[in-house]
Amino acid sequence: MEKLRERAAALLADGTVSLVIGFEEGTKRPRPFFCRTSDQASKLIFDSRCFHNLAVYVTKKELVGKEPFAVTAPIATLRSILQLYVENQLKEEQMLILTADPAGELFELRSFDEISAYVANFELKRGEREEEILHKIEGMTREERWQFWLNEMSQCFKCYACRSACPLCYCTKCVVEVNRPQWIHPWPAPLANMEWHINRAMHMVGRCTACGACGEACPVGIPIDLITRKMMEDLAPEFGYIPGLPARQGNALSSWRLDDREQFIR
Amino acid sequence: MMSDSNTFEPKIVAFVCNWCTYAGADLTGTSRLKYATNVKIVRFPCTGRIDFLFLLKSFAQGADAVIVSGCHPNDCHYTSGNFHARRRWIAFRAILDLMGIDVRRIQFSWVSAAEGAKWADLVNNTVSDIRALGPYTEYQKVAEYLEKEGFDGEA
């Protein structure tokens, strides 16, 4: 952590970057911190409690501007950044990534290939919570799944925290704001909630990197991150990508193969 | 919707592409082939244009099943519209299944402009399948919520 602070301070002092996006100590847990001077760098922290996906800020033009900046990124964030590169949302020359491995060794990554090589060392695994809930869902009948999600979705009050927390939800105009005609009803109601969450999942197919930020952000604790996560796991072999390691081969839904699965088409 | 004989008549919405299936369905008519009247055809420029939400909107509006059909692979008027659509359907089916929506009620097919008889078979088979499954009240109940509360969806 000390190494990270020193490095960040040095980068800011010699003008290599004008901003370091990192974490500082919050009231109960670390919170995002935008460090603009070398004096502030001493407030930076980076440990296992820093799970917010800071990649959500790197596409915000009003925040990062055109100057070079640095971002401290754990593995989950690196995966999101790779996907953002794949979608041409980031400039390699503008961003420097500071990360530390579990042993505390500091790494500086500057390009898609460097990040990709680093992330490849870490396999994407289901955590205890994911395993438990997904195992439960996998054992259900269709009717039970419908009831399960209907119950879960009944708590949703459309705060769109899931959308704000997701680094890949960077559209400036979202489908739920399409109102001529109103495409998805803005109020929280069973159908409107179901449509929003199915829409969100559909827009994430082949893009989600399972950082879990959406589920973490949900104020009522709906396990929405598991929908996109399960899609990623199930469709990865189908669409030929490695979960959690985005590659520059086009997104699942923007590309196709002649031999895509067709048994369900009569 | 019940007919006189009290059998359940499913409401089916068919999303078809302009170049193949719509022409195919037209051929069914001009060939004087008789088929079930339960289907309401919506014409699209290409299967690639069929948004996944259209399917859910149909269920919400009371459809018991949906048919989605377009050109056979390699026959697309726009070269790759149906390939993109096929990928979208693979993903969409997977999501619907996870959410517990009845994917048996969505019938995907390829019907070319020369396959009038296939279109008739497709509709007839779908109607008999859905007749066995019964109306899709499960989803419609969720959609009805607002009407019961006194709201109307569209201003």
Side-chain angles (χ1 to χ4, degrees):
Chain A
M1 205 149 75
E2 209 42 59
K3 276 188 207 157
L4 180 90
R5 284 179 189 148
E6 279 167 23
R7 187 69 191 128
L11 286 169
L12 286 163
D14 67 14
T16 316
V17 298
S18 60
L19 167 71
V20 176
I21 306 176
F23 292 97
E24 67 174 341
E25 205 62 65
T27 318
K28 284 182 179 162
R29 54 188 191 187
R31 63 186 174 205
F33 174 50
F34 304 96
C35 179
R36 292 184 186 274
T37 64
S38 53
D39 310 341
Q40 295 174 330
S42 59
K43 280 162 81 181
L44 282 170
I45 58 165
F46 190 73
D47 56 34
S48 60
R49 297 171 303 146
C50 302
F51 56 78
H52 277 115
N53 197 334
L54 296 181
V56 74
Y57 298 112
V58 301
T59 50
K60 303 241 182 300
K61 299 279 180 290
E62 69 278 17
L63 183 72
V64 298
K66 288 190 170 136
E67 300 291 306
F69 65 95
V71 56
T72 62
I75 285 296
T77 309
L78 290 176
R79 292 198 170 102
S80 307
I81 289 173
L82 282 180
Q83 183 61 31
L84 287 169
Y85 274 131
V86 168
E87 294 172 17
N88 300 320
Q89 295 300 316
L90 299 173
K91 291 195 187 93
E92 287 192 356
E93 63 276 13
Q94 197 190 358
M95 193 165 70
L96 170 68
I97 290 150
L98 298 172
T99 189
D101 68 4
E105 187 67 36
L106 188 70
F107 287 90
E108 281 180 43
L109 308 168
R110 284 173 187 278
S111 69
F112 179 87
D113 297 329
E114 280 179 32
I115 305 171
S116 201
Y118 180 77
V119 172
N121 300 326
F122 301 87
E123 199 193 338
L124 182 66
K125 290 199 201 91
R126 283 185 187 178
E128 221 168 273
R129 167 185 163 272
E130 288 98 48
E131 188 60 54
E132 189 194 321
I133 305 177
L134 282 174
H135 186 74
K136 198 172 90 181
I137 296 172
E138 280 157 9
M140 288 179 184
T141 64
R142 183 191 66 76
E143 286 82 0
E144 284 167 350
R145 283 199 298 276
W146 176 247
Q147 273 314 320
F148 171 82
W149 287 114
L150 219 47
N151 284 340
E152 290 288 344
M153 299 304 176
S154 68
Q155 305 173 76
C156 174
F157 55 94
K158 292 275 186 78
C159 66
Y160 297 131
C162 42
R163 185 181 67 177
S164 307
C166 180
L168 300 173
C169 265
Y170 52 72
C171 296
T172 44
K173 185 166 185 181
C174 177
V175 66
V176 288
E177 270 115 39
V178 173
N179 56 4
R180 288 188 162 206
Q182 186 68 50
W183 194 210
I184 297 172
H185 293 152
W187 45 72
L191 180 74
N193 289 355
M194 200 52 107
E195 282 180 351
W196 156 243
H197 287 289
I198 291 177
N199 233 284
R200 206 184 74 82
M202 245 340 248
H203 289 181
M204 284 298 143
V205 166
R207 305 174 60 228
C208 175
T209 54
C211 68
C214 47
E216 199 65 55
C218 183
V220 290
I222 306 172
I224 40 175
D225 55 313
L226 299 184
I227 306 172
T228 47
R229 189 189 177 109
K230 178 121 172 66
M231 281 311 107
M232 184 188 71
E233 290 174 0
D234 290 359
L235 296 172
E238 193 97 38
F239 295 156
Y241 59 84
I242 306 163
L245 191 60
R248 284 189 160 138
Q249 54 179 27
N251 278 342
L253 292 194
S254 61
S255 57
W256 50 272
R257 281 201 318 256
L258 213 52
D259 58 346
D260 280 332
R261 181 176 59 157
E262 206 175 85
Q263 302 97 297
F264 65 91
I265 302 178
R266 188 145 76 183
Chain B
M1 189 162 66
M2 292 286 181
S3 69
D4 295 340
S5 56
N6 237 15
T7 53
F8 160 62
E9 289 295 341
K11 285 183 208 160
I12 297 174
V13 181
F15 296 97
V16 304
C17 91
N18 176 42
W19 304 99
C20 292
T21 308
Y22 192 84
D26 199 24
L27 181 67
T28 321
T30 48
S31 314
R32 311 243 167 176
L33 293 169
K34 285 189 176 164
Y35 67 100
T37 54
N38 307 48
V39 69
K40 286 154 186 71
I41 296 176
V42 189
R43 178 163 65 158
F44 281 83
C46 178
T47 36
R49 170 64 182 92
I50 301 169
D51 192 294
F52 56 89
L53 209 55
F54 293 153
L55 279 60
L56 290 181
K57 291 286 180 190
S58 326
F59 287 132
Q61 302 274 323
D64 299 304
V66 171
I67 293 174
V68 182
S69 179
C71 308
H72 285 267
N74 288 325
D75 270 358
C76 181
H77 186 78
Y78 308 100
T79 317
S80 61
N82 54 358
F83 289 123
H84 284 293
R86 182 166 67 185
R87 279 227 160 173
R88 193 179 310 148
W89 298 336
I90 294 171
F92 190 49
R93 263 175 66 96
I95 289 179
L96 292 191
D97 197 45
L98 176 65
M99 304 301 283
I101 290 171
D102 198 346
V103 289
R104 293 171 299 176
R105 293 175 185 275
I106 305 179
Q107 183 60 59
F108 297 103
S109 185
W110 306 129
V111 174
S112 83
E115 294 176 321
K118 184 177 176 185
W119 173 253
D121 285 348
L122 174 69
V123 174
N124 287 336
N125 291 338
T126 309
V127 169
S128 65
D129 289 354
I130 301 308
R131 208 171 261 147
L133 287 177
Y136 196 19
T137 42
E138 198 179 45
Y139 197 87
Q140 287 152 13
K141 258 193 278 180
V142 174
E144 272 168 11
Y145 173 83
L146 284 174
E147 282 166 33
K148 282 199 193 118
E149 296 289 306
F151 289 106
D152 184 53
E154 297 301 327

